[in-house]
mmCIF file with all atom_site columns, all heavy atoms in Angstrom:
data_model
loop_
_atom_site.group_PDB
_atom_site.id
_atom_site.type_symbol
_atom_site.label_atom_id
_atom_site.label_alt_id
_atom_site.label_comp_id
_atom_site.label_asym_id
_atom_site.label_entity_id
_atom_site.label_seq_id
_atom_site.pdbx_PDB_ins_code
_atom_site.Cartn_x
_atom_site.Cartn_y
_atom_site.Cartn_z
_atom_site.occupancy
_atom_site.B_iso_or_equiv
_atom_site.pdbx_formal_charge
_atom_site.auth_seq_id
_atom_site.auth_comp_id
_atom_site.auth_asym_id
_atom_site.auth_atom_id
_atom_site.pdbx_PDB_model_num
ATOM 1   N N   . GLY A 1 27 ? -27.898 -30.103 -33.668 1.00 0.00 ? 27 GLY A N   1
ATOM 2   C CA  . GLY A 1 27 ? -27.910 -28.645 -33.559 1.00 0.00 ? 27 GLY A CA  1
ATOM 3   C C   . GLY A 1 27 ? -28.136 -28.198 -32.132 1.00 0.00 ? 27 GLY A C   1
ATOM 4   O O   . GLY A 1 27 ? -28.234 -29.015 -31.206 1.00 0.00 ? 27 GLY A O   1
ATOM 5   N N   . THR A 1 28 ? -28.227 -26.879 -31.943 1.00 0.00 ? 28 THR A N   1
ATOM 6   C CA  . THR A 1 28 ? -28.367 -26.335 -30.597 1.00 0.00 ? 28 THR A CA  1
ATOM 7   C C   . THR A 1 28 ? -29.639 -25.521 -30.400 1.00 0.00 ? 28 THR A C   1
ATOM 8   O O   . THR A 1 28 ? -29.901 -25.047 -29.300 1.00 0.00 ? 28 THR A O   1
ATOM 9   C CB  . THR A 1 28 ? -27.157 -25.438 -30.255 1.00 0.00 ? 28 THR A CB  1
ATOM 10  O OG1 . THR A 1 28 ? -27.081 -24.369 -31.207 1.00 0.00 ? 28 THR A OG1 1
ATOM 11  C CG2 . THR A 1 28 ? -25.857 -26.230 -30.261 1.00 0.00 ? 28 THR A CG2 1
ATOM 12  N N   . ASN A 1 29 ? -30.431 -25.345 -31.440 1.00 0.00 ? 29 ASN A N   1
ATOM 13  C CA  . ASN A 1 29 ? -31.628 -24.507 -31.328 1.00 0.00 ? 29 ASN A CA  1
ATOM 14  C C   . ASN A 1 29 ? -32.615 -25.012 -30.291 1.00 0.00 ? 29 ASN A C   1
ATOM 15  O O   . ASN A 1 29 ? -33.213 -24.223 -29.553 1.00 0.00 ? 29 ASN A O   1
ATOM 16  C CB  . ASN A 1 29 ? -32.329 -24.370 -32.681 1.00 0.00 ? 29 ASN A CB  1
ATOM 17  C CG  . ASN A 1 29 ? -31.554 -23.489 -33.629 1.00 0.00 ? 29 ASN A CG  1
ATOM 18  O OD1 . ASN A 1 29 ? -30.771 -22.648 -33.217 1.00 0.00 ? 29 ASN A OD1 1
ATOM 19  N ND2 . ASN A 1 29 ? -31.757 -23.700 -34.913 1.00 0.00 ? 29 ASN A ND2 1
ATOM 20  N N   . VAL A 1 30 ? -32.813 -26.314 -30.219 1.00 0.00 ? 30 VAL A N   1
ATOM 21  C CA  . VAL A 1 30 ? -33.812 -26.860 -29.303 1.00 0.00 ? 30 VAL A CA  1
ATOM 22  C C   . VAL A 1 30 ? -33.389 -26.633 -27.848 1.00 0.00 ? 30 VAL A C   1
ATOM 23  O O   . VAL A 1 30 ? -34.221 -26.303 -27.004 1.00 0.00 ? 30 VAL A O   1
ATOM 24  C CB  . VAL A 1 30 ? -34.086 -28.352 -29.594 1.00 0.00 ? 30 VAL A CB  1
ATOM 25  C CG1 . VAL A 1 30 ? -35.079 -28.922 -28.604 1.00 0.00 ? 30 VAL A CG1 1
ATOM 26  C CG2 . VAL A 1 30 ? -34.627 -28.511 -31.018 1.00 0.00 ? 30 VAL A CG2 1
ATOM 27  N N   . SER A 1 31 ? -32.099 -26.755 -27.557 1.00 0.00 ? 31 SER A N   1
ATOM 28  C CA  . SER A 1 31 ? -31.618 -26.476 -26.195 1.00 0.00 ? 31 SER A CA  1
ATOM 29  C C   . SER A 1 31 ? -31.908 -25.032 -25.807 1.00 0.00 ? 31 SER A C   1
ATOM 30  O O   . SER A 1 31 ? -32.360 -24.754 -24.692 1.00 0.00 ? 31 SER A O   1
ATOM 31  C CB  . SER A 1 31 ? -30.107 -26.718 -26.090 1.00 0.00 ? 31 SER A CB  1
ATOM 32  O OG  . SER A 1 31 ? -29.826 -28.084 -26.090 1.00 0.00 ? 31 SER A OG  1
ATOM 33  N N   . SER A 1 32 ? -31.650 -24.117 -26.726 1.00 0.00 ? 32 SER A N   1
ATOM 34  C CA  . SER A 1 32 ? -31.911 -22.710 -26.456 1.00 0.00 ? 32 SER A CA  1
ATOM 35  C C   . SER A 1 32 ? -33.400 -22.465 -26.246 1.00 0.00 ? 32 SER A C   1
ATOM 36  O O   . SER A 1 32 ? -33.795 -21.720 -25.342 1.00 0.00 ? 32 SER A O   1
ATOM 37  C CB  . SER A 1 32 ? -31.397 -21.847 -27.615 1.00 0.00 ? 32 SER A CB  1
ATOM 38  O OG  . SER A 1 32 ? -30.013 -22.040 -27.795 1.00 0.00 ? 32 SER A OG  1
ATOM 39  N N   . LEU A 1 33 ? -34.229 -23.082 -27.052 1.00 0.00 ? 33 LEU A N   1
ATOM 40  C CA  . LEU A 1 33 ? -35.678 -22.926 -26.912 1.00 0.00 ? 33 LEU A CA  1
ATOM 41  C C   . LEU A 1 33 ? -36.189 -23.562 -25.626 1.00 0.00 ? 33 LEU A C   1
ATOM 42  O O   . LEU A 1 33 ? -37.168 -23.089 -25.043 1.00 0.00 ? 33 LEU A O   1
ATOM 43  C CB  . LEU A 1 33 ? -36.388 -23.520 -28.118 1.00 0.00 ? 33 LEU A CB  1
ATOM 44  C CG  . LEU A 1 33 ? -36.173 -22.777 -29.434 1.00 0.00 ? 33 LEU A CG  1
ATOM 45  C CD1 . LEU A 1 33 ? -36.750 -23.575 -30.593 1.00 0.00 ? 33 LEU A CD1 1
ATOM 46  C CD2 . LEU A 1 33 ? -36.766 -21.389 -29.373 1.00 0.00 ? 33 LEU A CD2 1
ATOM 47  N N   . ALA A 1 34 ? -35.523 -24.605 -25.159 1.00 0.00 ? 34 ALA A N   1
ATOM 48  C CA  . ALA A 1 34 ? -35.938 -25.259 -23.916 1.00 0.00 ? 34 ALA A CA  1
ATOM 49  C C   . ALA A 1 34 ? -35.858 -24.283 -22.744 1.00 0.00 ? 34 ALA A C   1
ATOM 50  O O   . ALA A 1 34 ? -36.670 -24.338 -21.820 1.00 0.00 ? 34 ALA A O   1
ATOM 51  C CB  . ALA A 1 34 ? -35.066 -26.495 -23.649 1.00 0.00 ? 34 ALA A CB  1
ATOM 52  N N   . VAL A 1 35 ? -34.900 -23.375 -22.779 1.00 0.00 ? 35 VAL A N   1
ATOM 53  C CA  . VAL A 1 35 ? -34.789 -22.350 -21.735 1.00 0.00 ? 35 VAL A CA  1
ATOM 54  C C   . VAL A 1 35 ? -36.030 -21.468 -21.748 1.00 0.00 ? 35 VAL A C   1
ATOM 55  O O   . VAL A 1 35 ? -36.581 -21.133 -20.706 1.00 0.00 ? 35 VAL A O   1
ATOM 56  C CB  . VAL A 1 35 ? -33.503 -21.520 -21.918 1.00 0.00 ? 35 VAL A CB  1
ATOM 57  C CG1 . VAL A 1 35 ? -33.476 -20.323 -20.995 1.00 0.00 ? 35 VAL A CG1 1
ATOM 58  C CG2 . VAL A 1 35 ? -32.285 -22.397 -21.683 1.00 0.00 ? 35 VAL A CG2 1
ATOM 59  N N   . LEU A 1 36 ? -36.484 -21.107 -22.934 1.00 0.00 ? 36 LEU A N   1
ATOM 60  C CA  . LEU A 1 36 ? -37.694 -20.300 -23.050 1.00 0.00 ? 36 LEU A CA  1
ATOM 61  C C   . LEU A 1 36 ? -38.910 -21.048 -22.512 1.00 0.00 ? 36 LEU A C   1
ATOM 62  O O   . LEU A 1 36 ? -39.848 -20.433 -22.024 1.00 0.00 ? 36 LEU A O   1
ATOM 63  C CB  . LEU A 1 36 ? -37.936 -19.886 -24.501 1.00 0.00 ? 36 LEU A CB  1
ATOM 64  C CG  . LEU A 1 36 ? -36.907 -18.926 -25.092 1.00 0.00 ? 36 LEU A CG  1
ATOM 65  C CD1 . LEU A 1 36 ? -37.190 -18.693 -26.568 1.00 0.00 ? 36 LEU A CD1 1
ATOM 66  C CD2 . LEU A 1 36 ? -36.882 -17.623 -24.335 1.00 0.00 ? 36 LEU A CD2 1
ATOM 67  N N   . ALA A 1 37 ? -38.869 -22.381 -22.598 1.00 0.00 ? 37 ALA A N   1
ATOM 68  C CA  . ALA A 1 37 ? -39.971 -23.201 -22.086 1.00 0.00 ? 37 ALA A CA  1
ATOM 69  C C   . ALA A 1 37 ? -39.860 -23.435 -20.583 1.00 0.00 ? 37 ALA A C   1
ATOM 70  O O   . ALA A 1 37 ? -40.742 -24.029 -19.985 1.00 0.00 ? 37 ALA A O   1
ATOM 71  C CB  . ALA A 1 37 ? -40.014 -24.536 -22.822 1.00 0.00 ? 37 ALA A CB  1
ATOM 72  N N   . GLY A 1 38 ? -38.741 -22.994 -19.969 1.00 0.00 ? 38 GLY A N   1
ATOM 73  C CA  . GLY A 1 38 ? -38.615 -23.104 -18.523 1.00 0.00 ? 38 GLY A CA  1
ATOM 74  C C   . GLY A 1 38 ? -37.538 -24.047 -18.018 1.00 0.00 ? 38 GLY A C   1
ATOM 75  O O   . GLY A 1 38 ? -37.401 -24.227 -16.811 1.00 0.00 ? 38 GLY A O   1
ATOM 76  N N   . ALA A 1 39 ? -36.754 -24.658 -18.912 1.00 0.00 ? 39 ALA A N   1
ATOM 77  C CA  . ALA A 1 39 ? -35.687 -25.560 -18.466 1.00 0.00 ? 39 ALA A CA  1
ATOM 78  C C   . ALA A 1 39 ? -34.646 -24.788 -17.663 1.00 0.00 ? 39 ALA A C   1
ATOM 79  O O   . ALA A 1 39 ? -34.253 -23.687 -18.035 1.00 0.00 ? 39 ALA A O   1
ATOM 80  C CB  . ALA A 1 39 ? -35.020 -26.240 -19.654 1.00 0.00 ? 39 ALA A CB  1
ATOM 81  N N   . LYS A 1 40 ? -34.216 -25.368 -16.561 1.00 0.00 ? 40 LYS A N   1
ATOM 82  C CA  . LYS A 1 40 ? -33.193 -24.759 -15.705 1.00 0.00 ? 40 LYS A CA  1
ATOM 83  C C   . LYS A 1 40 ? -31.834 -25.413 -15.893 1.00 0.00 ? 40 LYS A C   1
ATOM 84  O O   . LYS A 1 40 ? -30.821 -24.868 -15.479 1.00 0.00 ? 40 LYS A O   1
ATOM 85  C CB  . LYS A 1 40 ? -33.595 -24.867 -14.226 1.00 0.00 ? 40 LYS A CB  1
ATOM 86  C CG  . LYS A 1 40 ? -34.946 -24.265 -13.915 1.00 0.00 ? 40 LYS A CG  1
ATOM 87  C CD  . LYS A 1 40 ? -34.948 -22.780 -14.116 1.00 0.00 ? 40 LYS A CD  1
ATOM 88  C CE  . LYS A 1 40 ? -36.271 -22.190 -13.672 1.00 0.00 ? 40 LYS A CE  1
ATOM 89  N NZ  . LYS A 1 40 ? -36.552 -20.914 -14.274 1.00 0.00 ? 40 LYS A NZ  1
ATOM 90  N N   . VAL A 1 41 ? -31.814 -26.600 -16.494 1.00 0.00 ? 41 VAL A N   1
ATOM 91  C CA  . VAL A 1 41 ? -30.582 -27.341 -16.738 1.00 0.00 ? 41 VAL A CA  1
ATOM 92  C C   . VAL A 1 41 ? -30.648 -27.877 -18.162 1.00 0.00 ? 41 VAL A C   1
ATOM 93  O O   . VAL A 1 41 ? -31.694 -28.371 -18.590 1.00 0.00 ? 41 VAL A O   1
ATOM 94  C CB  . VAL A 1 41 ? -30.433 -28.523 -15.749 1.00 0.00 ? 41 VAL A CB  1
ATOM 95  C CG1 . VAL A 1 41 ? -29.178 -29.321 -16.046 1.00 0.00 ? 41 VAL A CG1 1
ATOM 96  C CG2 . VAL A 1 41 ? -30.441 -28.035 -14.320 1.00 0.00 ? 41 VAL A CG2 1
ATOM 97  N N   . ILE A 1 42 ? -29.544 -27.772 -18.886 1.00 0.00 ? 42 ILE A N   1
ATOM 98  C CA  . ILE A 1 42 ? -29.457 -28.298 -20.246 1.00 0.00 ? 42 ILE A CA  1
ATOM 99  C C   . ILE A 1 42 ? -28.346 -29.334 -20.289 1.00 0.00 ? 42 ILE A C   1
ATOM 100 O O   . ILE A 1 42 ? -27.226 -29.074 -19.822 1.00 0.00 ? 42 ILE A O   1
ATOM 101 C CB  . ILE A 1 42 ? -29.151 -27.190 -21.272 1.00 0.00 ? 42 ILE A CB  1
ATOM 102 C CG1 . ILE A 1 42 ? -30.227 -26.107 -21.264 1.00 0.00 ? 42 ILE A CG1 1
ATOM 103 C CG2 . ILE A 1 42 ? -28.957 -27.778 -22.672 1.00 0.00 ? 42 ILE A CG2 1
ATOM 104 C CD1 . ILE A 1 42 ? -31.583 -26.547 -21.734 1.00 0.00 ? 42 ILE A CD1 1
ATOM 105 N N   . GLU A 1 43 ? -28.649 -30.491 -20.848 1.00 0.00 ? 43 GLU A N   1
ATOM 106 C CA  . GLU A 1 43 ? -27.616 -31.501 -21.097 1.00 0.00 ? 43 GLU A CA  1
ATOM 107 C C   . GLU A 1 43 ? -27.423 -31.596 -22.598 1.00 0.00 ? 43 GLU A C   1
ATOM 108 O O   . GLU A 1 43 ? -28.369 -31.825 -23.348 1.00 0.00 ? 43 GLU A O   1
ATOM 109 C CB  . GLU A 1 43 ? -28.045 -32.868 -20.561 1.00 0.00 ? 43 GLU A CB  1
ATOM 110 C CG  . GLU A 1 43 ? -27.050 -33.953 -20.907 1.00 0.00 ? 43 GLU A CG  1
ATOM 111 C CD  . GLU A 1 43 ? -27.583 -35.359 -20.667 1.00 0.00 ? 43 GLU A CD  1
ATOM 112 O OE1 . GLU A 1 43 ? -28.733 -35.511 -20.253 1.00 0.00 ? 43 GLU A OE1 1
ATOM 113 O OE2 . GLU A 1 43 ? -26.828 -36.300 -20.931 1.00 0.00 ? 43 GLU A OE2 1
ATOM 114 N N   . LYS A 1 44 ? -26.201 -31.380 -23.065 1.00 0.00 ? 44 LYS A N   1
ATOM 115 C CA  . LYS A 1 44 ? -25.878 -31.479 -24.483 1.00 0.00 ? 44 LYS A CA  1
ATOM 116 C C   . LYS A 1 44 ? -24.533 -32.172 -24.606 1.00 0.00 ? 44 LYS A C   1
ATOM 117 O O   . LYS A 1 44 ? -23.567 -31.807 -23.932 1.00 0.00 ? 44 LYS A O   1
ATOM 118 C CB  . LYS A 1 44 ? -25.809 -30.074 -25.102 1.00 0.00 ? 44 LYS A CB  1
ATOM 119 C CG  . LYS A 1 44 ? -25.575 -30.054 -26.594 1.00 0.00 ? 44 LYS A CG  1
ATOM 120 C CD  . LYS A 1 44 ? -26.778 -30.576 -27.345 1.00 0.00 ? 44 LYS A CD  1
ATOM 121 C CE  . LYS A 1 44 ? -26.577 -30.482 -28.849 1.00 0.00 ? 44 LYS A CE  1
ATOM 122 N NZ  . LYS A 1 44 ? -27.642 -31.163 -29.572 1.00 0.00 ? 44 LYS A NZ  1
ATOM 123 N N   . ASN A 1 45 ? -24.458 -33.207 -25.438 1.00 0.00 ? 45 ASN A N   1
ATOM 124 C CA  . ASN A 1 45 ? -23.206 -33.931 -25.619 1.00 0.00 ? 45 ASN A CA  1
ATOM 125 C C   . ASN A 1 45 ? -22.185 -33.060 -26.340 1.00 0.00 ? 45 ASN A C   1
ATOM 126 O O   . ASN A 1 45 ? -22.514 -32.358 -27.292 1.00 0.00 ? 45 ASN A O   1
ATOM 127 C CB  . ASN A 1 45 ? -23.442 -35.212 -26.414 1.00 0.00 ? 45 ASN A CB  1
ATOM 128 C CG  . ASN A 1 45 ? -24.249 -36.215 -25.636 1.00 0.00 ? 45 ASN A CG  1
ATOM 129 O OD1 . ASN A 1 45 ? -24.296 -36.173 -24.414 1.00 0.00 ? 45 ASN A OD1 1
ATOM 130 N ND2 . ASN A 1 45 ? -24.902 -37.132 -26.333 1.00 0.00 ? 45 ASN A ND2 1
ATOM 131 N N   . LEU A 1 46 ? -20.963 -33.137 -25.859 1.00 0.00 ? 46 LEU A N   1
ATOM 132 C CA  . LEU A 1 46 ? -19.852 -32.361 -26.402 1.00 0.00 ? 46 LEU A CA  1
ATOM 133 C C   . LEU A 1 46 ? -18.856 -33.329 -27.026 1.00 0.00 ? 46 LEU A C   1
ATOM 134 O O   . LEU A 1 46 ? -18.611 -34.415 -26.490 1.00 0.00 ? 46 LEU A O   1
ATOM 135 C CB  . LEU A 1 46 ? -19.198 -31.587 -25.249 1.00 0.00 ? 46 LEU A CB  1
ATOM 136 C CG  . LEU A 1 46 ? -18.135 -30.577 -25.572 1.00 0.00 ? 46 LEU A CG  1
ATOM 137 C CD1 . LEU A 1 46 ? -18.707 -29.420 -26.365 1.00 0.00 ? 46 LEU A CD1 1
ATOM 138 C CD2 . LEU A 1 46 ? -17.503 -30.070 -24.281 1.00 0.00 ? 46 LEU A CD2 1
#
Side-chain angles (χ1 to χ4, degrees):
T28 59
N29 288 336
V30 178
S31 286
S32 301
L33 292 171
V35 171
L36 293 175
K40 304 294 185 202
V41 178
I42 301 294
E43 175 193 1
K44 184 69 177 171
N45 292 338
L46 188 65

